[in-house]
Amino acid sequence: MRPFVDAFLKTVISVIFVMLVACVSWQVISRYILGTPSTVTDELARFLFMWLALIGGAYTMGLRRHLAIDLLTQKLTGRARALSEGFVLLAVAGFAGMVMVKGGGQLVMKTLASGQVTPALQIPMAYVYGAIPFAGAVILYFCAIFSFEIWRNGPSDPDAARNGAPVGGPLD
């Protein structure tokens, strides 16, 4: 299932990025060449950027390339390293579950119930806020995979990147 999720996320991120570039390009053309700025593309670009940032962050988490402060974990080995990695995953999963999935889901439901729509596009704001619980669910998925890997294989190899082992990269 992991290859399917990775391929799906890559595709979604790529499509959103292309749409974002097109919106911003049209915004520049309409503002500076045609002299009439497009309010629709301005709003759409803002919302696409939100989706791109949240889904991109979740995808980056899945590649183990997300920004991390791992000074302590790098110095540990064996069981202590596995415990440290497990604690970090638990903290990330707790945030993703409680704040992003639960809180974001409540935000989506309240916004959907209130009928709030965007000013220019007239689409429900719940669709815009839907990126929060979606990204949280993806982060939880990757946390579960990584936790299982730690349980099954032990802690990650601290020298993997230095020994030439592939660590993933943007949209590979």
Side-chain angles (χ1 to χ4, degrees):
M1 182 154 163
R2 171 81 189 261
F4 170 75
V5 171
D6 285 342
F8 175 74
L9 291 174
K10 283 184 206 179
T11 303
V12 168
I13 290 168
S14 298
V15 167
I16 291 173
F17 185 73
V18 168
M19 290 173 60
L20 182 61
V21 168
C23 282
V24 171
S25 297
W26 177 249
Q27 181 68 20
V28 169
I29 291 168
S30 67
R31 178 178 303 228
Y32 293 108
I33 296 175
L34 303 177
T36 55
S38 171
T39 57
V40 172
T41 55
D42 179 47
E43 189 173 276
L44 183 59
R46 207 171 327 128
F47 299 151
L48 288 171
F49 185 72
M50 288 171 52
W51 273 85
L52 182 71
L54 287 164
I55 297 172
Y59 178 67
T60 305
M61 164 82 179
L63 295 177
R64 295 182 186 252
R65 308 270 300 180
H66 205 281
L67 179 65
I69 301 173
D70 57 356
L71 294 173
L72 174 65
T73 305
Q74 284 181 351
K75 297 196 182 303
L76 300 174
T77 58
R79 183 169 169 80
R81 185 179 181 98
L83 286 172
S84 176
E85 289 178 356
F87 176 76
V88 169
L89 283 173
L90 184 65
V92 170
F95 179 83
M98 294 301 295
V99 175
M100 296 180 78
V101 174
K102 185 177 183 231
Q106 289 173 346
L107 175 65
V108 168
M109 297 310 289
K110 285 180 182 178
T111 308
L112 201 54
S114 73
Q116 182 183 4
V117 295
T118 63
L121 296 171
Q122 293 297 304
I123 60 172
M125 278 300 292
Y127 295 163
V128 177
Y129 295 145
I132 300 168
F134 177 78
V138 172
I139 290 171
L140 282 175
Y141 168 77
F142 285 126
C143 284
I145 288 175
F146 297 155
S147 296
F148 180 72
E149 287 174 0
I150 290 171
W151 176 74
R152 190 180 66 193
N153 303 329
S156 64
D157 180 10
D159 298 319
R162 284 179 287 212
N163 294 336
V167 292
L171 302 178
D172 18 283

